[in-house]
Amino acid sequence: MRTLLFSVGLALLAHSALAQDRAAVERQFQSWLQDTIWPQARAQGVSRHTMTQAFSGVSLNWDLPDLVAPGSKAKTPKTQRQAEFGSPGKYFNAGSVQGATSMGRKMANRHATALARAEAKTGVPARIILAIWGRESGYGQVPIRHDAFRVLATKGFMSTRAEYFTEELIAALQIADAGHIEGRAMKSSWAGALGQPQFMPSSFLAFAADGNGDGRADIWESQDDTIASIANYLAQHGWVAGRDWGFEVTVPQAVSCALEGPDQGRLIRDWEVMGVTRVSGKAFPAHERAGEGYLMMPAGRNGPAFLVTPNFYVLKEYNKSDLYALFVGHVGDRIQYGVGDFRGAWGQVGGLYRSDVARMQKALERQGHDVGGADGLPGFKTRRSVGRWQEATGRKPTCFPEKKMKTTLVP
């Protein structure tokens, strides 16, 4: 009984201390808003009324990830599997692909005028606009419930990327001050991305567009503005009108998978000479043959292969993931052309922790390879470095991290 009472007492003390600590941090947070954020916002022309309205009753959101309370050190997150990095095929589950496609076709008919207007103005195909819209917010059907100011202020005050989120917080205040939306009505994702296109506030200021002529860029409620904004974002990031995003291809074994990457491009007609062909059996369009293409193999030899164009890397400006850009291009093609699943099958890759991949990356770096940073994510630089190591050591190149490399590559 004494032991039980002692344990309960310790728990109550710990809870009380935590409550006091959080109360102290909340006070620091309110001071930070007034002493740090308000001067920066005022310097950008934000009114006191906007500032007061945005933060009335706002407290920290302690449930957000990657928070570091003042006086604490950042903790390395527990290693965990992440499907989108470990097993690319999971990213293209039938439900996500088919749902985005079927709804995309309905939205194509429903918003044909706005899509045609955006495509004529920017050169960005309607199918690409639709696919991004579907991926980001389910064509506006996915609820966006977070208070943007609470999210951004919490992350600006005590996240592992505090400087970045502080800048985004100031941008959000500028949006409210300009009258695009009333401050407390500004909703975001848990990461601070706004509205149906999921723009960060700085992207809103730079790329949000008025698609219906009412003088506002309302990416929360207006489908026309959402369509125009997505198109404008891609156009301003260099979308090349008239070119496709890419093609699924067959890559002969004689063509090294280590040739992947946007810095190893060559004319598509030159890839043809090397034996790279479209899986459909069709020839590459004549206007594409004279343009540059890049090998992209998101699972190495364990999945579909693609020749992509510069537009693929414009899609990556929206989201830095190869798989995201591939999903958008593929769903867009399904919406407009009715294409089926990829011909190449996704192999059984993955099952590695990010920490495992990071150790492999560090081992490759010690051998002089550029893996793009030892972050545990198998991007194209890591994939091709694996392939080059495999080729140099007499192994069959697969260009993707494998479990057996935990002992053969890592000492």
Side-chain angles (χ1 to χ4, degrees):
M1 179 63 73
R2 286 180 183 151
T3 302
L4 177 60
L5 290 173
F6 181 71
S7 298
V8 171
L10 285 178
L12 290 173
L13 284 172
H15 178 76
S16 176
L18 178 61
Q20 290 176 10
D21 287 346
R22 287 200 172 188
V25 173
E26 289 282 1
R27 289 192 294 271
Q28 292 180 55
F29 171 62
Q30 296 299 327
S31 296
W32 175 78
L33 288 175
Q34 299 307 318
D35 299 340
T36 300
I37 296 305
W38 167 235
Q40 293 184 39
R42 182 176 54 197
Q44 294 299 321
V46 175
S47 71
R48 186 72 199 188
H49 172 75
T50 297
M51 178 75 182
T52 300
Q53 185 183 52
F55 295 111
S56 176
V58 168
S59 60
L60 290 166
N61 184 341
W62 293 88
D63 295 327
L64 297 176
D66 302 324
L67 300 183
V68 184
S72 303
K73 292 184 178 180
K75 294 182 180 179
T76 302
K78 296 172 70 174
T79 54
Q80 55 185 298
R81 289 186 176 92
Q82 295 194 9
E84 63 268 36
F85 300 118
S87 185
K90 293 182 180 179
Y91 198 86
F92 295 88
N93 68 81
S96 295
V97 171
Q98 293 169 9
T101 300
S102 60
M103 181 58 72
R105 290 172 181 159
K106 294 177 183 177
M107 300 302 271
N109 292 326
R110 191 175 303 169
H111 300 286
T113 300
L115 288 162
R117 184 165 57 241
E119 182 169 349
K121 184 175 182 178
T122 64
V124 179
R127 71 182 189 277
I128 296 296
I129 300 170
L130 286 165
I132 288 180
W133 188 12
R135 187 63 183 176
E136 293 297 337
S137 64
Y139 304 99
Q141 303 303 305
V142 175
I144 302 169
R145 297 192 175 101
H146 287 278
D147 181 321
F149 286 109
R150 189 182 186 204
V151 167
L152 293 167
T154 296
K155 286 183 164 287
F157 180 64
M158 59 173 193
S159 82
T160 54
R161 301 174 64 198
E163 182 176 353
Y164 168 76
F165 284 106
T166 296
E167 292 174 356
E168 294 297 339
L169 176 59
I170 300 301
L173 286 165
Q174 291 177 269
I175 293 169
D177 199 69
H180 293 290
I181 187 171
E182 185 178 328
R184 297 317 297 273
M186 191 184 297
K187 300 300 180 182
S188 75
S189 71
W190 63 265
L194 306 176
Q196 296 185 43
Q198 287 290 274
F199 280 0
M200 292 305 290
S202 60
S203 290
F204 179 99
L205 292 176
F207 308 113
D210 174 14
N212 58 14
D214 67 354
R216 298 168 60 236
D218 180 4
I219 61 172
W220 291 268
E221 301 294 337
S222 170
Q223 291 87 359
D224 287 1
D225 290 1
T226 294
I227 289 167
S229 296
I230 293 171
N232 186 51
Y233 185 101
L234 296 177
Q236 294 300 320
H237 281 84
W239 184 272
V240 181
R243 291 208 69 182
D244 211 321
W245 67 268
F247 308 88
E248 187 182 357
V249 296
T250 299
V251 180
Q253 290 295 326
V255 176
S256 173
C257 54
L259 290 176
E260 183 181 7
D263 54 350
Q264 297 190 99
R266 57 189 73 197
L267 299 181
I268 288 182
R269 62 175 176 239
D270 293 336
W271 288 108
E272 282 184 303
V273 171
M274 296 168 65
V276 176
T277 58
R278 294 178 67 181
V279 296
S280 65
K282 297 178 181 178
F284 290 101
H287 72 280
E288 294 285 5
R289 295 183 69 248
E292 198 164 49
Y294 316 94
L295 187 61
M296 208 278 291
M297 303 177 74
R301 287 283 183 184
N302 302 295
F306 306 87
L307 276 186
V308 298
T309 76
N311 285 339
F312 179 85
Y313 294 99
V314 174
L315 294 178
K316 283 191 67 175
E317 291 296 325
Y318 210 102
N319 183 307
K320 297 299 183 182
S321 165
D322 286 336
L323 298 181
Y324 176 91
L326 183 57
F327 184 96
V328 167
H330 179 57
V331 168
D333 288 351
R334 293 174 76 107
I335 290 171
Q336 183 166 343
Y337 304 123
V339 302
D341 296 337
F342 295 132
R343 299 286 184 87
W346 297 103
Q348 294 298 315
V349 296
L352 291 169
Y353 288 99
R354 283 184 63 170
S355 55
D356 293 331
V357 177
R359 282 194 293 272
M360 295 176 191
Q361 291 170 322
K362 290 175 182 176
L364 289 165
E365 285 180 332
R366 288 193 292 271
Q367 296 182 29
H369 292 280
D370 176 10
V371 299
D375 56 5
L377 309 179
F380 78 88
K381 287 187 176 182
T382 293
R383 297 193 295 265
R384 71 187 186 191
S385 293
V386 167
R388 289 167 180 170
W389 172 79
Q390 290 169 323
E391 291 172 346
T393 55
R395 293 172 169 82
K396 182 179 179 180
T398 62
C399 294
F400 203 84
E402 301 171 351
K403 287 184 179 180
K404 59 187 176 183
M405 290 172 57
K406 291 168 64 174
T407 55
T408 56
L409 174 59
V410 180

